[in-house]
Amino acid sequence: RRRPHRSVPARGHLARRAGVGALLVALVGAVAVLPFAVRHGATWTSWLAGPARSRPSSALALRALGEAPQEGGEEQGEPPSRMVQRRQVYQALLPALAAPGIWAAASAPAAAELNSFIAGVRKQKTEDAKVRSIFNPDYYKKDLGNYNTDNLQDFFPTLFLVRRQFEAISDYLDNPPRGANLSDPVIYEILREQNRIAPTGQVRKEALRTKNWCKLNKVNAGKADLEYERLKRSLEDEDTHLLVCSRTSAVELGALRVTKRYVQDVLDSLDNFIGLLPEEEQNAGKTIAELRDLPPLAVLDLEEMKKKKNRFRTKMERAEEEKNAKAAEAELKRESELFAQDGKLSSPISGDKKDASTAAATEAAPPAMGMLAPEEPVADFAL
């Protein structure tokens, strides 16, 4: 006969059974530990604190110092506590340790040796940091400067200074001063160099700090990334176009119009990026920027800049000529030494002798490979 189907116990019954099982296991463990605790100590508290292993050593230390250990609790017959014995040892050792000259005489040589060792290690680390190697990551660490974003007005006014400078560039291209020739590539080379000095040279860094400030303060955080990338792109496009114009012989009218458009793109991107911040911060930054001095454009003194560039180029050309002359002299000296070692010549050849010896060597030399003598018939390889 089939047995009747037994129902599965509910979750509540399972939980109660598990709780009863855990209680029984804890009870059995306590019963098993109880004889061990009674055998080793008087109470549960003293057993959990552990045996007093430091008491014999403390008593021996006090006896070595000439003092008898104080017995606490004579009526109860209990030994003194661990804290009391440690205090007694420290009080007994303190006068001896505080005696003048003991620490100085014992620690002076060790301290001097340790200081010299530390100084040597620091010096070696400084020297190793200068070695360029893939196993030396400290060599590739560069100081990125201050990127703190606590105070917005420490870096935000720089954007207004850059905007003023690009407005001056736009005015110069629209209304050039008398005698300025906008087809001269030197003008665009100087404008490109202007982008590498303050304040334009700092605009990327200060714009990044401004973007981070917007993220931390949750002020148009999503738009700040977009406008920051647009600002970088417009600066790169303007700089690249100035480089192309500076490498041409004469800048045409179409290239001038493109330059004006790139400068206007930088101004528009700066306006959009500045407009993301609150109005009170914009007013404060604009006021601070107006109080700062902006260096004039270098192209306004074009003739002086040309003279400086010519002097620099002349200096570089003179240095290059001296370098080539030294290289030619070293090569001639090396060839003369090789001739002398072979025993063919004992001294460098003069001009006439060198021409005569060269002609004689040419007449005696056999025809080179691929070149046939004129008296020999040319073979017809097609046959």
Side-chain angles (χ1 to χ4, degrees):
R1 256 170 70 180
R2 295 182 60 184
R3 295 182 180 181
H5 178 69
R6 294 182 180 181
S7 61
V8 179
R11 294 183 179 178
H13 295 286
L14 292 177
R16 282 194 294 271
R17 290 179 184 178
V20 171
L23 185 60
L24 289 176
V25 170
L27 212 57
V28 171
V31 172
V33 170
L34 187 59
F36 180 78
V38 173
R39 191 183 309 126
H40 281 272
T43 59
W44 281 91
T45 308
S46 62
W47 177 73
L48 291 174
R53 299 176 182 176
S54 63
R55 292 172 187 172
S57 62
S58 303
L60 290 174
L62 290 174
R63 288 192 182 94
L65 293 170
E67 297 184 5
Q70 299 179 3
E71 299 293 340
E74 295 179 356
E75 297 179 357
Q76 300 178 1
E78 296 180 359
S81 63
R82 210 179 283 181
M83 187 65 68
V84 173
Q85 288 192 354
R86 288 177 181 173
R87 191 181 299 113
Q88 294 174 5
V89 173
Y90 295 154
Q91 290 176 357
L93 291 175
L94 188 58
L97 296 177
I102 293 179
W103 284 102
S107 62
E113 184 179 357
L114 182 61
N115 291 337
S116 62
F117 175 75
I118 293 174
V121 171
R122 289 177 177 173
K123 183 178 179 181
Q124 184 65 28
K125 186 177 180 181
T126 305
E127 294 176 355
D128 294 343
K130 299 177 182 179
V131 179
R132 183 174 183 177
S133 171
I134 59 174
F135 303 105
N136 181 24
D138 293 337
Y139 178 82
Y140 300 95
K141 292 180 181 179
K142 302 298 181 183
D143 187 12
L144 300 179
N146 182 19
Y147 282 86
N148 187 17
T149 58
D150 293 338
N151 189 5
L152 179 64
Q153 300 306 328
D154 287 345
F155 47 88
F156 182 55
T158 306
L159 301 181
F160 289 97
L161 290 176
V162 175
R163 191 183 186 285
R164 282 169 51 190
Q165 190 168 54
F166 274 95
E167 285 180 348
I169 294 174
S170 180
D171 294 340
Y172 179 85
L173 296 177
D174 290 336
N175 302 309
R178 181 177 298 179
N181 184 12
L182 295 181
S183 62
D184 190 358
V186 178
I187 293 177
Y188 303 90
E189 184 178 357
I190 296 173
L191 288 177
R192 186 168 180 265
E193 292 177 358
Q194 188 93 30
N195 292 341
R196 279 143 182 80
I197 60 177
T200 310
Q202 303 172 352
V203 63
R204 291 175 177 84
K205 172 186 172 182
E206 309 303 354
L208 176 62
R209 296 173 70 183
T210 306
K211 183 193 75 170
N212 294 336
W213 183 90
C214 292
K215 286 187 175 181
L216 291 175
N217 295 274
K218 298 180 180 180
V219 179
N220 296 323
K223 294 182 179 179
D225 285 327
L226 179 63
E227 296 300 334
Y228 172 69
E229 295 298 331
R230 181 188 175 187
L231 176 60
K232 289 198 305 180
R233 179 63 180 271
S234 59
L235 288 169
E236 291 170 0
D237 290 344
E238 187 258 354
D239 188 80
T240 305
H241 183 71
L242 291 178
L243 175 63
V244 173
C245 293
S246 64
R247 294 296 185 267
T248 57
S249 58
V251 180
E252 298 180 356
L253 185 60
L256 176 60
R257 286 197 296 265
V258 175
T259 305
K260 295 179 182 179
R261 187 169 67 243
Y262 281 136
V263 173
Q264 188 61 40
D265 287 344
V266 175
L267 290 172
D268 294 341
S269 59
L270 280 171
D271 291 338
N272 293 335
F273 188 73
I274 293 172
L276 298 177
L277 277 79
E279 187 175 356
E280 56 273 12
E281 298 291 350
Q282 295 183 31
N283 296 333
K286 187 176 182 179
T287 304
I288 295 174
E290 290 175 353
L291 298 176
R292 296 180 181 177
D293 294 333
L294 185 66
L297 294 179
V299 291
L300 297 178
D301 196 0
L302 188 59
E303 297 300 327
E304 184 65 25
M305 292 298 298
K306 284 184 177 180
K307 291 179 181 179
K308 289 183 179 180
K309 284 187 171 296
N310 291 334
R311 286 197 297 267
F312 178 75
R313 288 172 180 171
T314 304
K315 183 178 179 181
M316 294 298 294
E317 291 174 358
R318 191 181 300 112
E320 187 68 21
E321 291 177 357
E322 293 177 357
K323 181 179 177 181
N324 294 335
K326 290 181 180 179
E329 184 179 357
E331 184 68 19
L332 181 60
K333 183 178 179 182
R334 188 178 67 85
E335 290 180 357
S336 62
E337 290 177 355
L338 291 176
F339 282 130
Q341 289 176 2
D342 293 339
K344 296 180 180 180
L345 294 175
S346 59
S347 61
I349 308 174
S350 60
D352 299 337
K353 294 182 179 180
K354 186 175 181 180
D355 295 339
S357 61
T358 304
T362 305
E363 293 177 358
M369 184 178 296
M371 297 177 61
L372 299 178
E375 59 271 13
E376 296 181 4
V378 179
D380 191 358
F381 293 100
L383 299 177

